[in-house]
Amino acid sequence: MADAPRSTYVLVDGENIDATLGTSILGRRPRPEERPRWERLLQFAQDRWDQPAVGLFFLAANSELPMTFVQALLAIGYRPVPLSGAPGEKVVDIAIQRTLTALKDREADALLVSNDGDFVGEVEALLDGRRVGVAGFTEFRNHLFAPLVERGLETFDLEYDVAAFNERLPRVRIIPIDEFDPAQFL
C-alpha cells in the first residue's frame, strides 16, 4: 500500500479573523460579502506547497451552532470543529493549540490562520524542517511571530497574498514613531 501524500493542515481561528476584520479594520460587524472566501485559502495552501490541504475550521458553539455556515464550510471542503466549554474558556484557542501539538507527530505541514500570539509556542515547535505558515492580517499579526521567520516560518496576508476577499479592505496605516503627530488624533 502506497503512503498517503503529505498534506498541509489549514487551521482556521475564525473568531480571531472575524474579530480583527470587524473591530480593527471595518469598525463594525462584517457583512457576509466582506468576509474571507475560505475556499480560496484552501486553494492557496494547495498551490503554495503543491500538496493536498485539509481545512479545519474551529468554532465556539457554546450557545448555538451556525448551521448554515457549517454547511457552507462542508460544501467547500472544510472540516468544521464545533467546540464548547466553560464560560470564559477559550475553547478555539485550546483546540488549535492541541492540534498544532498533535501535528508534531505527523508528516504534515501546517498553515495557521490567526493573528493571535497564543499559538507562538506551538508554531515554533513545528519549525523542525516542515513547512509552517501563519496567515492573517499583516498589520495585526502578533509581533512574537516575527523572530520565527528566520527559522522558516512563512507569513501570508489574507488580502494580498491569499486574495481571500472580493473587494479591497480599508487598511490601517501603521505610523512610524518619528512621523507621529498627536494633532492628527486630537
Side-chain angles (χ1 to χ4, degrees), residues 68-120:
T68 335
F69 184 59
V70 168
Q71 290 168 344
L73 288 171
L74 288 166
I76 60 175
Y78 278 89
R79 296 179 189 167
V81 183
L83 302 155
S84 67
E89 193 171 24
K90 296 169 75 174
V91 295
V92 167
D93 287 8
I94 293 166
I96 291 174
Q97 288 168 328
R98 289 180 184 172
T99 305
L100 288 167
T101 299
L103 283 174
K104 184 85 173 128
D105 298 328
R106 290 185 177 255
E107 291 292 322
D109 300 314
L111 178 59
L112 171 66
V113 184
S114 181
N115 299 301
D116 195 339
D118 288 346
F119 309 116
V120 170

Side-chain angles (χ1 to χ4, degrees), residues 34-45:
E34 294 172 319
R35 288 193 160 89
R37 309 279 62 106
W38 295 112
E39 70 279 4
R40 293 182 193 167
L41 180 65
L42 278 181
Q43 189 64 53
F44 174 82

Side-chain angles (χ1 to χ4, degrees), residues 94-183:
I94 293 166
I96 291 174
Q97 288 168 328
R98 289 180 184 172
T99 305
L100 288 167
T101 299
L103 283 174
K104 184 85 173 128
D105 298 328
R106 290 185 177 255
E107 291 292 322
D109 300 314
L111 178 59
L112 171 66
V113 184
S114 181
N115 299 301
D116 195 339
D118 288 346
F119 309 116
V120 170
E122 291 80 9
V123 166
E124 183 175 22
L126 289 174
L127 294 171
D128 57 5
R130 72 183 77 220
R131 289 172 287 200
V132 181
V134 175
F137 298 105
T138 302
E139 63 272 34
F140 297 106
R141 183 176 302 119
N142 188 286
H143 71 281
L144 295 175
F145 285 113
L148 301 181
V149 171
E150 293 175 5
R151 300 212 18 235
L153 179 67
E154 294 184 50
T155 58
F156 307 104
D157 185 277
L158 283 174
E159 183 177 13
Y160 297 107
D161 299 318
V162 178
F165 296 90
N166 287 335
E167 296 179 13
R168 285 279 185 219
L169 297 173
R171 295 310 264 205
V172 174
R173 179 178 176 266
I174 309 253
I175 304 166
I177 193 63
D178 59 337
E179 295 177 22
F180 175 72
D181 178 5

Side-chain angles (χ1 to χ4, degrees), residues 19-32:
T20 303
L21 181 59
T23 305
S24 302
I25 296 175
L26 298 172
R28 58 175 166 70
R29 184 179 178 91
R31 293 186 299 272

